[in-house]
Amino acid sequence: VTFRAPVRDIAFSLETAAGYGALAATETYADWDLETVRTVLEAAGQVADEVLAPLNRVGDAHGAAYANGTVTTAPGFSDAYRQFSEGGWHGLAAPVEHGGQGAPKAVEVAALETFQAANMAFALGPMLTLGAIEALHLVGSERQKALYLDKLVSGVWSGTMNLTEPQAGTDLAAVTTRAEPDGQGGYLLHGQKIYITWGDHDCAENIVHLVLGRLPDAPAGTKGISLFLAPKHLVNDDGSLGPRNDLRPAGIEHKLGIHGSPTCVMAYEGAKAELVGRPNEGLAHMFIMMNAARLQVGVQGVGIAERAYQQALAYARERRQGRSAWTGEANAPIFDHPDVRRMLAVSRAKIDAARGICLSCAVAADLARVGPEAERARWKLREELLVPIAKAWSTDVGVEVASVGVQVHGGMGFVEETGAAQHYRDARIAPIYEGTNGVQALDLVGRKLGMNGGQAVRDLVLDMRRTAADLAASAEPRLQSTEPPFERAIEAVEAATAWLLERRGTSQPDVLAGATAYLALVGDVAGGWTLAKQALAAEAALASPDADRTWLTGKIALFRVYADNVLAASEGRLAAVRQGADALHALGEALAA
Ligand SMILES: Cc1cc2nc3c(=O)[nH]c(=O)nc-3n(C[C@H](O)[C@H](O)[C@H](O)COP(=O)(O)OP(=O)(O)OC[C@H]3O[C@@H](n4cnc5c(N)ncnc54)[C@H](O)[C@@H]3O)c2cc1C
């Protein structure tokens, strides 16, 4: 099935759900109006369709290979990497002074969706490089920026994030990698890192590893972790490459999915390294980037869902079985069975909702930096609130839609030849890495809910109510009728929030037991909010004589489907939030009996 990047949907969501206009109105991004953004997204879509998508199956079938201490990527990957780099895609949002194009992060996020959808295993590589660029830009020394940033931005070198160790997964306080002073102002790293994405490969001339480790006198726990930079090939003062550093891939993992992405065990055996940022503040530095990285993983969820949806839709229009309840046609396309149509419609609505959440989060992050001074704090709160939702809710949508995609294919979904199974396998990692979705839910009810005494959620509820009022005031009956279920869903968010705020600090197990249900509830309703805004904008756009009526009325109908299938379940989500921890605690022994 030929993949087509959904550029029109992405641009529409960016404009109407995420309110991109506020960003284009800033002085910083005056050159990045919507027309320019559309052109960039078209170009990204072309790379996704023509360069990356054709390699998706190849990456899955061949995977990356490890032999004699080196990693080779799947056939075609290194050439695609070259084209990707030459197109300037690593540097879309990077600083202009380092060779980037200085686009808003929101545009980078939007472009990345097309790459993730086309080839998630490939796009992971650039995603990690973007993280390294951001880290060095924010906390690197002037020398580090001068030496490393231009090369990362051009893609000539790539970047990695080395956090995880066998005993230190979610709990990074347990990191034990040691950094010994080398007597010349640098350090020698000793330790093992696992699951390092694109830890070694044959696509770039050098690999810049950002590594969490401990200085000899570091305090225990998270307050004793520092961030180091260790390149695969040492870098001379003039930027030229020196000898190999004492670090190597010790092997690659054999995984459920994303076979094209080399996931390495990395051995640091006295590797020369330099400190990045301040000693013992490595985790804090990492957290600066975490918001961006988590959002990018959320976008992977949107991308893989889109890919799986397109594949399922194409199959449903071809495969013929049974008599259609609508048309009476015998041997009808399965697309004409209401249950199959429901699967596709709910999938499409959830993709639009997840995209709306991710793009809203990205625009909020940009406005928190460059928006009108008086509004920055409010946008920061919005970004902070939306990050765990964008990450967890969207990646859950990724898995769900990919699973539905398999279902639409029937038996053909379970055998490998259609490719539907690959999307399902690929999608499964996103709820796990960059902080598991369970950890995102803890972040939401822990840090995010408590910010300014619940201000972030209160603000979101206010904004959602404004949109509900627009629905109620609409002259279009199909929009008007979505207001009551939307309003009831907003009330469920308010009730859940009040219940959790009351118990925060006094009954922590109850709060933690309800965390995932709370994230799901807020995600469902915030997703509905972004769909409502798209539906309202679609209704307004229908007035234009050259409007694409099918596509626009589709946006309205999708919100209706979402209201009936997702928003209507909010009461159930609320009950799960309020379940409390007692029954779970009491079950302890019984679960193992
Ligand atoms: C393909 C792949 C690529 C990866 N890429 C990278 C990379 O580039 N760099 C890197 O550093 N790491 C990477 N990782 C590691 C990834 O980030 C970790 O796997 C993830 O953080 C979870 O850690 P863990 O596997 O040790 O699971 P654990 O921490 O053992 O968690 C197991 C389960 O327990 C739950 N849990 C743990 N602690 C708590 C708690 N306090 N409260 C509630 N629930 C909890 C988790 O939610 C999870 O469901 C990658 C992993 C994979 C599989």
Side-chain angles (χ1 to χ4, degrees), residues 128 161-164 168-171 194-197 255 258 263 429 432-436 438-439 442:
L128 267 297
M161 296 286 158
N162 289 236
L163 286 67
T164 309
T170 297
D171 185 6
I194 60 170
Y195 303 143
I196 303 310
T197 295
K255 312 186 294 285
I258 53 165
T263 308
I429 183 58
I432 295 173
Y433 56 24
E434 204 47 57
T436 63
V439 169
L442 301 188

Short mmCIF file of all heavy atoms in Angstrom, two decimals, residues 128 161-164 168-171 194-197 255 258 263 429 432-436 438-439 442, ligand 1:
data_model
loop_
_atom_site.label_atom_id
_atom_site.label_comp_id
_atom_site.label_asym_id
_atom_site.label_seq_id
_atom_site.Cartn_x
_atom_site.Cartn_y
_atom_site.Cartn_z
N LEU A 128 16.64 11.32 17.87
CA LEU A 128 17.65 11.35 18.93
C LEU A 128 18.67 12.45 18.67
O LEU A 128 19.13 13.11 19.61
CB LEU A 128 18.35 9.98 19.02
CG LEU A 128 17.77 8.95 20.00
CD1 LEU A 128 17.89 9.45 21.43
CD2 LEU A 128 16.33 8.60 19.73
N MET A 161 21.23 9.27 23.19
CA MET A 161 20.96 9.52 24.61
C MET A 161 21.23 8.23 25.37
O MET A 161 20.55 7.22 25.14
CB MET A 161 19.48 9.88 24.82
CG MET A 161 19.07 11.16 24.16
SD MET A 161 19.72 12.55 25.07
CE MET A 161 19.67 13.78 23.80
N ASN A 162 22.21 8.26 26.27
CA ASN A 162 22.57 7.05 27.03
C ASN A 162 22.17 7.23 28.49
O ASN A 162 22.93 7.76 29.30
CB ASN A 162 24.08 6.81 27.00
CG ASN A 162 24.60 6.37 25.65
OD1 ASN A 162 25.23 5.32 25.53
ND2 ASN A 162 24.36 7.17 24.62
N LEU A 163 20.96 6.79 28.83
CA LEU A 163 20.49 6.89 30.20
C LEU A 163 20.45 5.51 30.85
O LEU A 163 20.99 5.28 31.92
CB LEU A 163 19.07 7.49 30.24
CG LEU A 163 18.88 8.97 29.99
CD1 LEU A 163 19.21 9.36 28.57
CD2 LEU A 163 17.46 9.39 30.29
N THR A 164 19.79 4.57 30.17
CA THR A 164 19.41 3.30 30.78
C THR A 164 20.60 2.37 31.03
O THR A 164 21.49 2.26 30.20
CB THR A 164 18.38 2.60 29.87
OG1 THR A 164 17.35 3.52 29.55
CG2 THR A 164 17.78 1.39 30.54
N ALA A 168 19.07 0.30 36.10
CA ALA A 168 18.53 1.67 36.15
C ALA A 168 17.68 1.94 34.92
O ALA A 168 18.18 2.36 33.88
CB ALA A 168 19.68 2.69 36.23
N GLY A 169 16.38 1.63 35.03
CA GLY A 169 15.45 1.87 33.93
C GLY A 169 14.63 3.09 34.26
O GLY A 169 15.08 4.24 34.11
N THR A 170 13.42 2.87 34.78
CA THR A 170 12.60 3.99 35.22
C THR A 170 13.32 4.78 36.31
O THR A 170 13.25 6.01 36.36
CB THR A 170 11.25 3.45 35.75
OG1 THR A 170 10.57 2.82 34.67
CG2 THR A 170 10.40 4.56 36.33
N ASP A 171 14.02 4.05 37.17
CA ASP A 171 14.67 4.68 38.32
C ASP A 171 16.11 5.04 37.99
O ASP A 171 17.04 4.26 38.24
CB ASP A 171 14.61 3.72 39.51
CG ASP A 171 15.16 4.36 40.77
OD1 ASP A 171 15.46 5.57 40.74
OD2 ASP A 171 15.30 3.64 41.78
N ILE A 194 22.35 0.19 28.21
CA ILE A 194 21.58 -0.75 27.39
C ILE A 194 20.46 -0.02 26.65
O ILE A 194 20.06 1.08 27.03
CB ILE A 194 20.99 -1.91 28.23
CG1 ILE A 194 20.04 -1.40 29.32
CG2 ILE A 194 22.11 -2.73 28.84
CD1 ILE A 194 19.24 -2.53 30.00
N TYR A 195 19.97 -0.69 25.60
CA TYR A 195 18.86 -0.17 24.79
C TYR A 195 19.17 1.18 24.16
O TYR A 195 18.30 2.07 24.12
CB TYR A 195 17.59 0.03 25.63
CG TYR A 195 17.03 -1.15 26.37
CD1 TYR A 195 16.47 -0.98 27.63
CD2 TYR A 195 17.00 -2.42 25.80
CE1 TYR A 195 15.91 -2.04 28.32
CE2 TYR A 195 16.45 -3.49 26.50
CZ TYR A 195 15.91 -3.28 27.76
OH TYR A 195 15.36 -4.31 28.43
N ILE A 196 20.39 1.41 23.72
CA ILE A 196 20.72 2.74 23.19
C ILE A 196 20.37 2.82 21.70
O ILE A 196 20.98 2.17 20.85
CB ILE A 196 22.20 3.08 23.45
CG1 ILE A 196 22.46 3.00 24.97
CG2 ILE A 196 22.54 4.47 22.91
CD1 ILE A 196 21.48 3.75 25.87
N THR A 197 19.36 3.64 21.44
CA THR A 197 18.82 3.79 20.09
C THR A 197 19.84 4.43 19.15
O THR A 197 20.43 5.46 19.49
CB THR A 197 17.55 4.66 20.16
OG1 THR A 197 16.58 3.94 20.92
CG2 THR A 197 17.00 4.96 18.78
N LYS A 255 14.28 -7.45 18.59
CA LYS A 255 13.11 -6.82 19.19
C LYS A 255 11.80 -7.22 18.52
O LYS A 255 11.79 -7.71 17.40
CB LYS A 255 13.26 -5.28 19.10
CG LYS A 255 14.61 -4.75 19.54
CD LYS A 255 14.64 -3.24 19.57
CE LYS A 255 14.52 -2.59 18.21
NZ LYS A 255 15.72 -2.66 17.39
N ILE A 258 10.32 -2.19 15.27
CA ILE A 258 11.34 -1.22 14.83
C ILE A 258 12.69 -1.90 14.57
O ILE A 258 13.73 -1.47 15.06
CB ILE A 258 11.47 0.01 15.76
CG1 ILE A 258 11.69 -0.36 17.22
CG2 ILE A 258 10.29 0.93 15.63
CD1 ILE A 258 12.18 0.84 18.09
N THR A 263 19.29 -0.97 18.21
CA THR A 263 19.18 -0.73 19.66
C THR A 263 20.37 -1.42 20.31
O THR A 263 20.43 -2.64 20.36
CB THR A 263 17.86 -1.32 20.20
OG1 THR A 263 16.78 -0.83 19.41
CG2 THR A 263 17.64 -0.94 21.65
N ILE A 429 6.48 -0.14 21.04
CA ILE A 429 7.57 0.42 21.87
C ILE A 429 7.22 1.79 22.44
O ILE A 429 7.65 2.16 23.53
CB ILE A 429 8.91 0.50 21.08
CG1 ILE A 429 10.04 1.00 21.98
CG2 ILE A 429 8.80 1.38 19.84
CD1 ILE A 429 10.31 0.18 23.20
N ILE A 432 6.43 2.51 25.91
CA ILE A 432 7.43 2.03 26.88
C ILE A 432 8.57 3.03 27.07
O ILE A 432 8.91 3.39 28.20
CB ILE A 432 7.99 0.66 26.43
CG1 ILE A 432 6.88 -0.40 26.45
CG2 ILE A 432 9.15 0.23 27.33
CD1 ILE A 432 7.28 -1.74 25.86
N TYR A 433 9.18 3.47 25.95
CA TYR A 433 10.38 4.29 26.18
C TYR A 433 10.07 5.77 26.40
O TYR A 433 8.93 6.19 26.31
CB TYR A 433 11.46 4.08 25.11
CG TYR A 433 11.12 4.29 23.65
CD1 TYR A 433 10.09 5.10 23.22
CD2 TYR A 433 11.90 3.66 22.69
CE1 TYR A 433 9.84 5.28 21.87
CE2 TYR A 433 11.66 3.84 21.33
CZ TYR A 433 10.63 4.66 20.94
OH TYR A 433 10.39 4.84 19.61
N GLU A 434 11.12 6.51 26.77
CA GLU A 434 11.00 7.93 27.11
C GLU A 434 10.04 8.13 28.30
O GLU A 434 9.25 9.06 28.33
CB GLU A 434 10.55 8.73 25.88
CG GLU A 434 10.91 10.20 25.88
CD GLU A 434 12.34 10.49 26.25
OE1 GLU A 434 13.26 9.97 25.59
OE2 GLU A 434 12.56 11.25 27.21
N GLY A 435 10.17 7.24 29.31
CA GLY A 435 9.26 7.24 30.45
C GLY A 435 8.01 6.47 30.07
O GLY A 435 7.26 6.89 29.18
N THR A 436 7.80 5.31 30.70
CA THR A 436 6.63 4.49 30.35
C THR A 436 5.35 5.31 30.51
O THR A 436 5.35 6.33 31.22
CB THR A 436 6.52 3.25 31.26
OG1 THR A 436 6.32 3.71 32.61
CG2 THR A 436 7.76 2.37 31.19
N GLY A 438 2.85 4.60 32.21
CA GLY A 438 2.50 4.63 33.63
C GLY A 438 3.22 5.79 34.32
O GLY A 438 2.63 6.51 35.15
N VAL A 439 4.47 5.98 33.97
CA VAL A 439 5.25 7.07 34.56
C VAL A 439 4.71 8.44 34.12
O VAL A 439 4.71 9.40 34.89
CB VAL A 439 6.75 6.89 34.20
CG1 VAL A 439 7.56 8.13 34.55
CG2 VAL A 439 7.32 5.66 34.89
N LEU A 442 1.90 9.21 36.35
CA LEU A 442 2.36 9.65 37.67
C LEU A 442 2.82 11.11 37.61
O LEU A 442 2.58 11.89 38.54
CB LEU A 442 3.52 8.77 38.15
CG LEU A 442 3.25 7.28 38.28
CD1 LEU A 442 4.42 6.58 38.94
CD2 LEU A 442 1.97 7.03 39.07
C1 LIG B 1 13.70 -0.24 21.69
C2 LIG B 1 14.13 0.55 22.87
C3 LIG B 1 14.83 1.72 22.67
C4 LIG B 1 15.28 2.46 23.77
N1 LIG B 1 16.06 3.58 23.57
C5 LIG B 1 16.70 4.14 24.63
C6 LIG B 1 17.71 5.13 24.45
O1 LIG B 1 18.01 5.56 23.32
N2 LIG B 1 18.35 5.62 25.53
C7 LIG B 1 18.06 5.19 26.79
O2 LIG B 1 18.69 5.64 27.72
N3 LIG B 1 17.11 4.25 27.01
C8 LIG B 1 16.42 3.71 25.96
N4 LIG B 1 15.47 2.75 26.16
C9 LIG B 1 15.14 2.34 27.52
C10 LIG B 1 13.74 2.75 27.94
O3 LIG B 1 13.68 4.13 28.14
C11 LIG B 1 13.39 1.93 29.21
O4 LIG B 1 13.15 0.61 28.78
C12 LIG B 1 12.20 2.50 29.95
O5 LIG B 1 12.55 3.71 30.55
C13 LIG B 1 11.68 1.56 31.03
O6 LIG B 1 12.70 1.08 31.85
P1 LIG B 1 12.82 -0.50 32.12
O7 LIG B 1 12.83 -1.17 30.80
O8 LIG B 1 13.96 -0.74 33.01
O9 LIG B 1 11.46 -0.89 32.83
P2 LIG B 1 11.18 -0.81 34.41
O10 LIG B 1 11.66 0.47 34.97
O11 LIG B 1 11.69 -2.07 35.03
O12 LIG B 1 9.59 -0.81 34.43
C14 LIG B 1 8.79 -2.00 34.31
C15 LIG B 1 7.32 -1.65 34.60
O13 LIG B 1 7.19 -1.14 35.94
C16 LIG B 1 6.59 0.15 35.93
N5 LIG B 1 7.24 0.98 36.96
C17 LIG B 1 8.55 1.12 37.23
N6 LIG B 1 8.74 1.99 38.23
C18 LIG B 1 7.53 2.43 38.60
C19 LIG B 1 7.04 3.34 39.60
N7 LIG B 1 7.88 4.03 40.37
N8 LIG B 1 5.69 3.52 39.70
C20 LIG B 1 4.84 2.86 38.90
N9 LIG B 1 5.23 1.98 37.96
C21 LIG B 1 6.56 1.78 37.81
C22 LIG B 1 6.83 0.70 34.54
O14 LIG B 1 5.85 1.65 34.18
C23 LIG B 1 6.77 -0.56 33.68
O15 LIG B 1 5.44 -0.85 33.36
C24 LIG B 1 14.97 2.03 25.08
C25 LIG B 1 14.23 0.85 25.26
C26 LIG B 1 13.83 0.11 24.19
C27 LIG B 1 13.10 -1.18 24.43
#
